[in-house]
Amino acid sequence: MNCGRCSMYGGIKLFSGTSHPALAQEISDYLGVPLSGREIIKFPNENLFVQLHESVRGQDVFLIQTMCPPVSDNIMELLIAIDCLRRDSAGRITVVVPYLAYARSDKKDQPRVPITARLLADMIQIAGADRYITVDLHAGQIQGFFSIPGDEITAFHILNEYFAQKQLEDVVIVTADLGFAKKGRNFAARLQVPMAFVEKRRTGNDNCSEALTVIGDVDGKNVIIVDDEISTGGSIANTVRVVKEHGARDIYVSCSHPVLAPPAIERLRALPVKELVTTNTLPIPPERMLPNIKVLSVGPLLAEVIRRVHEGRSVGELFNE
Ligand code: R5P
């Protein structure tokens, strides 16, 4: 690969776990750097084994692994692969985790509960990662759970640009959650359209949420509901219902992470949503694809960030920061 700049670690080495081969291949194609060989095996006793097919001594290694199902296996695979790279004397190890699981467990908001996002960050560091790259964390403060440097990038520009090109009229951006208001406002500002909020309340630990009311005007408007992820689809289903009750015209949904855990697909299928626009931070298995789901790739963006990290160049420049 011709980087145009020198790196103190020699060339880029790309490795991927087994979670998202298509995205890893896309990143590799964009960079013109092949995915390095490795073997990942699950023994009959369910223990995982990782072996590299080539030396990484002194190299700048980027390890791509998202946290889709089977989540625990994919996390263990990531940790074991980091350990393997560390023991094989990699010069620097950057984990590229497009979707960080457990991000909703980021505080003690009730008695006797863990902060699993912090635990995950600790495990990644203790395994031996030097840096991380991720996309749209559930809450920006999760960055602080890591003491290694990292880059949280956003897929919002990609999603936003898609809607800008559609040139919809009378649009209002709606956030499915007051906690998402700031990001929703940025989304609306870039499209130069107004916004509204749906007030949501979680009712327990079992993924149940209740949408209470709309703050703002959606009557007769084309609504784009934005959120960071769709997990079981409960929040989106409630938000769609509430904006419909308040007179919304066409409804679009946009989110960075298509977690799509059961029963999300059944819920989405039943909703009057014109298009769900998301990204490939997690793979969507064919049986969960619906005709109205549009997947935009974060592959080129992640590849460009990898290139810049390797060359020691600004990542913020990519977003005009
Ligand atoms: C919650 O705070 C997030 O922003 C999403 O609204 C949530 O993760 C979606 O979960 P579900 O699809 O299960 O309602």
Side-chain angles (χ1 to χ4, degrees), residues 54 117 192 195 197 265:
E54 51 197 278
Q192 298 182 303
M195 71 176 303
F197 310 91
I265 289 303

Side-chain angles (χ1 to χ4, degrees), residues 104 138 177 200 202 207 227-235:
R104 275 157 60 177
H138 175 64
D177 188 340
K200 176 177 98 175
R202 286 221 171 265
N207 267 312
D227 208 344
D228 58 339
E229 66 175 48
I230 297 178
S231 182
T232 63
S235 305

Side-chain angles (χ1 to χ4, degrees), residues 85-104:
L85 291 162
R86 173 61 62 225
R87 291 177 195 279
D88 288 337
S89 306
R92 180 173 68 170
I93 303 166
T94 303
V95 291
V96 182
V97 183
Y99 175 71
L100 188 82
Y102 290 103
R104 275 157 60 177

Side-chain angles (χ1 to χ4, degrees), residues 145-164:
F145 293 171
F146 291 89
S147 43
I148 51 175
D151 293 288
E152 180 202 351
I153 57 170
T154 181
F156 265 42
H157 301 286
I158 298 172
L159 298 165
N160 200 286
E161 185 54 32
Y162 179 80
F163 282 104

